[in-house]
Amino acid sequence: MTQSEIQQNFSHMNNMQQQAVFTTEGPLLILAGAGSGKTTVLVNRIAYILQSQLCKPWQILAITFTNKAAGELKERIINAVPDGGADIWAATFHSTCARILRRYGDRIGFSSHFTVYGTDDQKKLVKDILKQLNIDEKYLPVKSILSEISKAKDKMHTPEQMRKEAQFDSRKTDISKVYEIYQSRLKTADAMDFDDMLCNTVLLFEKCPEILEYYQNQFRYIMVDEYQDTNKVQYKFVSMLAEKYGNICVVGDDDQSIYKFRGATIENILSFENTFKGAKIIRLEQNYRSTQNILNAANEVISNNTMRKGKTLWTENAKGDKIQIHTTDSERDEANYIAQTILDGVADGRKYSDYAILYRMNAQSNAIEQALSRSGVPHRVIGGHRFYDREEIRDMVAYLQVINNPHDDVRLSRIINVPKRSIGATTLSNAAGIAAGLGESIYTVIKEADSYPALSRAAAKLKSFVELIDGFIEAEQSGDYSLAELYNLVIEHTGYEQYLKTDKDNPDVRIENIEELSSNIIKFEEDYGDEANLSAFLEEISLQTDIDNYDAEADTCVMMTLHSAKGLEFPVVFIAGMEDGIFPSIATMMNPEELGEERRLAYVGITRAKEKLYLTKTTSRMLFGSTSYNKASRFLNEIPDDLVERSGDKKQFSPSYSASGSSVSVGGGSVGKFTANKSFGGYKAPSVKSGVVYNVGDSVLHKVFGRGMVMRAEKMGNDTMLEIAFDKAGTKTLMANFCKMEKI
């Protein structure tokens, strides 16, 4: 078969795709826009190389980022090239390195049976090292240490290099000591972590040039997918392998580089032609996924970034519907709008699985989940835990369940030693055994703990726990406390927040989640008025806790973060929370480089939509127990008016509140009506602090927005509306009772 006849096999591809397939020699960068068929190009390029007999199948290395992607790639290659396709090296970075190290790891001191440590193994090892060094985990949390070690390995920095960089930073110096012992202990255990697998392969190549030469000779053609997501050590690995033949083809999209927090560096793709001299760049700009209106919106948004190669997506698809920008009063209205729009669409013939709801942060899922559940819209959460399935939420709900029904043994067993009260598994087991023999609940037994010899040693601790729960029950039954106030009491008097700070990974995220539960409680009381009680609330949230797991193929809409949505596509997409401070996130707005990554994330979100795109925003949003009033996202303003259709409230927000607003400072220090004269579960309750009075000119410190100055303070019912100019976050309008803020 002649070369022209072989090329005729690829006539179904567009012109630029064919160029990418037929360009086999030398370095090649394929800038593959969203929905441009990059996997198709990779598969067909490999097929063309093999059909042209340029090399043997085992001389091709195709690297992807996930096992799923590698499996799909190999399957498609085998279908395209049945004879020999299975012999291609199509694998992730880690599995490729593992294959090399299993064969030659002895050259750098590892056996072929080395162990790979996962996250739990790493944490246990670091905890042991901290004890060895007599370092308090509160000072150096395990997760922080592992994060710093991973960053160092991404840059191929040794413990000694980390120590030199630390200079006078005692914290970094201590981490470098942990890092040094960590590596020594791994070596002794004949073990590596995932970062080591890459670093050790590069080290092997550097120490044993003959092994590098062996693999350079083997891999005549190297292809790397998702190149924009590579880090320094991954770049080093592939560049070393490609040094002999120079036939390295990387496929990626600089406009979809959204994993800087994982160590990815966009510079790898931006500087490709400088690194690999004589490189050719081919742009795949024809999109097969979306309507032209959606692509135009994406093009306009991403054009505001400066760190990019530049390309413009186009399609032969229809122009399509305009992008719908919908404004609501609150996150509940936003969620209800999304639910109703899905119901209307399904009534018109769509499937639930046509819909995806994307958001910047997991905490936004809470209100949306509730609205979908209430509306009967089947849904599943991808890439994160359901709000009510998160450990800290289940703990707090378990406390409320036990207050509501102290004989609920399952919930009581969950929280009897959370936070730790030195009530061990043996004590609980003994109590459960006694209860079973008597036909009573565990709570009934532990109330009389000193009457049972098997519980006598733990009697004081059990009685203290009972007093705590009895205090909560008394508070709930007295009618003196709102549900929000009761919840606040549980947080304070159990010491749960401090427990999260000292005993758990990601304490800030977990604390935000328990504060978000307070938002739910406040809204429940507003919705149900006089009928709002603990039993009714627990029944309400059973919608979220008792839903069965959905089948992956089921007809359900999906919810996920924008990061999780990369690589997926849906007929209809909602992006919720299009407000400055939410998306882009507050932490990125003052940093041009980080704001650029947020804009790339917006581009990823927009290009997930095939037919219809909804962008929703609110005039006020309660999140983490605080209400904020944010401007529309700057990304919305970057979409031209002729591409959008607006609905909902278009007016500038003008807050108005009735005098019935809640007076409890949820998540803050005040506990409302709780007085110092009441005995509460063996604790002396804190005295009631009068609400903090803010005046114009006061300097304040906000948990999220940082330092600021009060510019306006206007009394509204039982609350005060504050306009505050923050140093870094700009001007925000907040309600005094709900903001996590102190005067300084």
Side-chain angles (χ1 to χ4, degrees):
M1 190 181 289
T2 66
Q3 203 64 22
S4 61
E5 286 174 330
I6 292 173
Q7 291 188 357
Q8 199 60 36
N9 294 335
F10 302 90
S11 58
H12 61 283
M13 307 180 79
N14 69 43
N15 181 51
M16 298 310 291
Q17 288 177 329
Q18 287 183 37
Q19 281 191 45
V21 167
F22 301 151
T23 304
T24 60
E25 306 308 302
L28 172 65
L29 168 59
I30 302 174
L31 279 176
S36 61
K38 70 179 178 66
T39 306
T40 298
V41 168
L42 268 178
V43 170
N44 282 275
R45 188 172 188 271
I46 291 170
Y48 177 72
I49 289 171
L50 293 177
Q51 288 176 21
S52 301
Q53 298 184 343
L54 298 175
C55 71
K56 301 295 183 184
W58 61 85
Q59 292 179 304
I60 296 175
L61 172 63
I63 296 179
T64 64
F65 265 80
T66 66
N67 289 320
K68 182 173 180 288
E72 289 174 357
L73 181 63
K74 192 149 191 172
E75 185 180 343
R76 289 179 64 173
I77 291 168
I78 291 169
N79 290 335
V81 189
D83 186 18
D87 294 327
I88 289 163
W89 280 47
T92 64
F93 274 103
H94 289 112
S95 57
T96 302
C97 290
R99 191 168 171 180
I100 294 170
L101 290 168
R102 294 288 179 201
R103 186 172 181 181
Y104 293 111
D106 61 311
R107 304 291 187 91
I108 55 171
F110 292 90
S111 77
S112 60
H113 304 288
F114 65 83
T115 300
V116 179
Y117 273 14
T119 305
D120 289 342
D121 303 308
Q122 291 176 277
K123 287 178 180 177
K124 187 176 186 308
L125 180 54
V126 169
K127 284 185 177 185
D128 288 345
I129 294 168
L130 289 176
K131 287 178 185 174
Q132 177 186 333
L133 295 174
N134 200 26
I135 295 175
D136 193 334
E137 279 187 49
K138 295 175 188 175
Y139 163 62
L140 279 184
V142 171
K143 187 174 180 186
S144 299
I145 294 170
L146 287 172
S147 175
E148 291 296 331
I149 290 175
S150 183
K151 287 176 187 174
K153 290 182 180 182
D154 281 348
K155 297 182 286 188
M156 294 180 290
H157 284 185
T158 64
E160 186 180 359
Q161 286 171 302
M162 182 190 277
R163 189 157 45 248
K164 284 180 181 176
E165 282 185 357
Q167 294 183 335
F168 303 108
D169 186 335
S170 60
R171 184 175 173 277
K172 272 280 180 71
T173 301
D174 286 337
I175 292 175
S176 72
K177 291 177 187 174
V178 176
Y179 182 14
E180 185 172 22
I181 299 172
Y182 175 80
Q183 289 305 106
S184 174
R185 294 274 292 273
L186 282 173
K187 194 76 173 283
T188 302
D190 192 22
M192 305 180 198
D193 62 24
F194 282 99
D195 293 320
D196 283 329
M197 294 171 76
L198 284 154
C199 292
N200 284 338
T201 307
V202 170
L203 177 65
L204 173 68
F205 288 166
E206 289 174 338
K207 286 196 168 186
C208 306
E210 73 280 7
I211 295 173
L212 172 60
E213 186 179 9
Y214 171 83
Y215 285 106
Q216 286 176 337
N217 287 331
Q218 175 173 338
F219 297 128
R220 289 176 176 263
Y221 294 94
I222 297 170
M223 277 161 264
V224 184
D225 195 11
E226 303 287 7
Y227 191 67
Q228 77 280 350
D229 294 333
T230 55
N231 59 28
K232 184 176 178 179
V233 67
Q234 289 164 336
Y235 153 75
K236 178 80 171 173
F237 171 68
V238 295
S239 61
M240 290 174 87
L241 286 176
E243 200 171 327
K244 180 170 183 178
Y245 291 106
N247 296 329
I248 180 168
C249 167
V250 302
V251 185
D253 184 359
D254 52 320
D255 291 333
Q256 295 188 70
S257 179
I258 58 172
Y259 293 120
K260 184 182 177 185
F261 66 94
R262 292 183 188 167
T265 171
I266 193 173
E267 286 77 13
N268 286 350
I269 195 167
L270 294 179
S271 63
F272 182 81
E273 63 268 41
N274 297 327
T275 307
F276 298 95
K277 300 302 180 185
K280 184 173 182 179
I281 300 177
I282 294 175
R283 288 173 168 81
L284 303 183
E285 298 175 298
Q286 182 175 357
N287 176 284
Y288 292 91
R289 174 190 299 160
S290 307
T291 65
Q292 190 62 57
N293 271 338
I294 290 171
L295 297 181
N296 288 344
N299 289 332
E300 290 290 342
V301 169
I302 201 64
S303 68
N304 290 276
N305 270 5
T306 53
M307 290 181 62
R308 62 188 298 258
K309 293 283 189 183
K311 63 183 175 309
T312 303
L313 297 179
W314 61 276
T315 186
E316 292 180 348
N317 294 339
K319 187 176 181 181
D321 293 340
K322 291 188 175 184
I323 285 84
Q324 191 76 31
I325 296 178
H326 186 79
T327 305
T328 62
D329 287 337
S330 70
E331 73 284 354
R332 282 186 297 168
D333 296 329
E334 176 186 57
N336 289 334
Y337 169 76
I338 291 170
Q340 189 58 52
T341 303
I342 293 172
L343 288 174
D344 291 345
V346 170
D348 288 340
R350 282 201 179 274
K351 297 181 296 183
Y352 288 112
S353 56
D354 287 348
Y355 294 89
I357 304 155
L358 313 180
Y359 34 80
R360 178 62 181 84
M361 60 184 89
N362 276 314
Q364 289 173 257
S365 69
N366 178 22
I368 300 168
E369 280 187 78
Q370 288 196 36
L372 297 181
S373 294
R374 287 173 179 167
S375 303
V377 175
H379 59 281
R380 55 195 168 99
V381 181
I382 294 177
H385 295 296
R386 293 172 53 79
F387 182 78
Y388 282 98
D389 285 344
R390 292 168 181 140
E391 180 186 15
E392 58 277 9
I393 299 302
R394 292 180 71 177
D395 286 344
M396 297 313 299
V397 169
Y399 269 108
L400 296 178
Q401 296 274 14
V402 171
I403 294 167
N404 188 58
N405 174 18
H407 306 298
D408 185 335
D409 285 353
V410 173
R411 268 58 178 244
L412 184 137
S413 297
R414 180 182 181 90
I415 49 94
I416 194 169
N417 200 39
V418 177
K420 291 187 175 84
R421 301 183 176 92
S422 299
I423 301 173
T426 302
T427 299
L428 182 59
S429 177
N430 289 340
I434 295 167
L438 295 173
E440 299 283 358
S441 68
I442 293 174
Y443 194 75
T444 301
V445 169
I446 63 175
K447 279 177 81 81
E448 305 296 334
D450 49 10
S451 301
Y452 305 101
L455 302 178
S456 58
R457 291 182 62 185
K461 293 160 189 167
L462 292 169
K463 290 219 126 189
S464 178
F465 172 74
V466 167
E467 286 176 358
L468 179 69
I469 298 300
D470 280 348
F472 291 144
I473 293 171
E474 179 187 345
E476 193 269 331
Q477 292 178 348
S478 69
D480 293 337
Y481 304 93
S482 69
L483 282 181
E485 289 169 324
L486 177 67
Y487 178 77
N488 221 32
L489 295 177
V490 173
I491 293 175
E492 291 190 6
H493 292 284
T494 59
Y496 192 81
E497 191 167 315
Q498 187 59 37
Y499 157 72
L500 292 178
K501 289 177 182 176
T502 55
D503 287 8
K504 291 292 178 182
D505 294 329
N506 299 320
D508 291 341
V509 172
R510 292 172 185 266
I511 289 169
E512 286 173 352
N513 285 336
I514 64 171
E515 289 173 353
E516 182 63 8
L517 181 55
S518 73
S519 299
N520 282 12
I521 293 171
I522 292 170
K523 290 168 191 167
F524 174 80
E525 291 186 287
E526 291 172 351
D527 287 346
Y528 285 78
D530 293 338
E531 294 177 9
N533 57 51
L534 184 55
S535 295
F537 175 71
L538 294 171
E539 185 179 334
E540 168 82 359
I541 65 172
S542 67
L543 280 171
Q544 278 72 43
T545 56
D546 294 332
I547 294 176
D548 294 331
N549 291 327
Y550 287 104
D551 187 299
E553 303 300 319
D555 184 20
T556 67
C557 67
V558 295
M559 299 169 54
M560 69 187 83
T561 63
L562 285 150
H563 281 99
S564 298
K566 187 170 177 290
L568 302 176
E569 59 183 50
F570 306 91
V572 186
V573 169
F574 295 88
I575 304 180
M578 294 295 293
E579 302 137 38
D580 272 2
I582 304 295
F583 188 39
S585 68
I586 189 73
T588 65
M589 287 167 54
M590 304 305 292
N591 184 318
E593 187 177 332
E594 292 185 1
L595 184 60
E597 178 145 333
E598 288 285 287
R599 187 173 282 110
R600 292 194 290 273
L601 192 55
Y603 175 83
V604 166
I606 292 170
T607 54
R608 297 313 93 195
K610 296 165 71 174
E611 300 167 17
K612 184 73 179 173
L613 176 65
Y614 293 86
L615 306 175
T616 64
K617 63 186 178 75
T618 66
T619 50
S620 70
R621 182 178 297 276
M622 182 181 279
L623 203 62
F624 314 135
S626 296
T627 301
S628 60
Y629 306 92
N630 301 314
K631 295 178 181 177
S633 170
R634 61 198 65 199
F635 303 147
L636 290 181
N637 299 329
E638 292 168 358
I639 302 175
D641 285 341
D642 63 327
L643 297 178
V644 304
E645 204 169 71
R646 299 178 189 273
S647 59
D649 179 18
K650 303 174 190 175
K651 300 174 184 176
Q652 183 68 31
F653 177 69
S654 177
S656 61
Y657 292 89
S658 68
S660 62
S662 173
S663 63
V664 63
S665 177
V666 177
S670 171
V671 292
K673 303 172 188 174
F674 200 84
T675 67
N677 297 325
K678 265 192 170 181
S679 170
F680 186 81
Y683 293 90
K684 185 176 179 183
S687 59
V688 178
K689 295 180 182 177
S690 59
V692 179
V693 177
Y694 296 95
N695 297 307
V696 174
D698 283 348
S699 292
V700 296
L701 182 65
H702 190 276
K703 181 180 177 183
V704 175
F705 304 131
R707 291 177 177 271
M709 179 177 288
V710 177
M711 309 301 291
R712 185 161 68 99
E714 184 175 336
K715 187 73 175 171
M716 288 191 168
N718 295 333
D719 211 338
T720 303
M721 187 183 77
L722 305 172
E723 188 174 308
I724 303 168
F726 291 99
D727 295 350
K728 294 184 178 179
T731 301
K732 301 285 180 187
T733 305
L734 306 173
M735 301 308 293
N737 284 350
F738 294 96
C739 58
K740 297 274 290 184
M741 192 168 65
E742 58 180 313
K743 290 168 75 169
I744 56 175

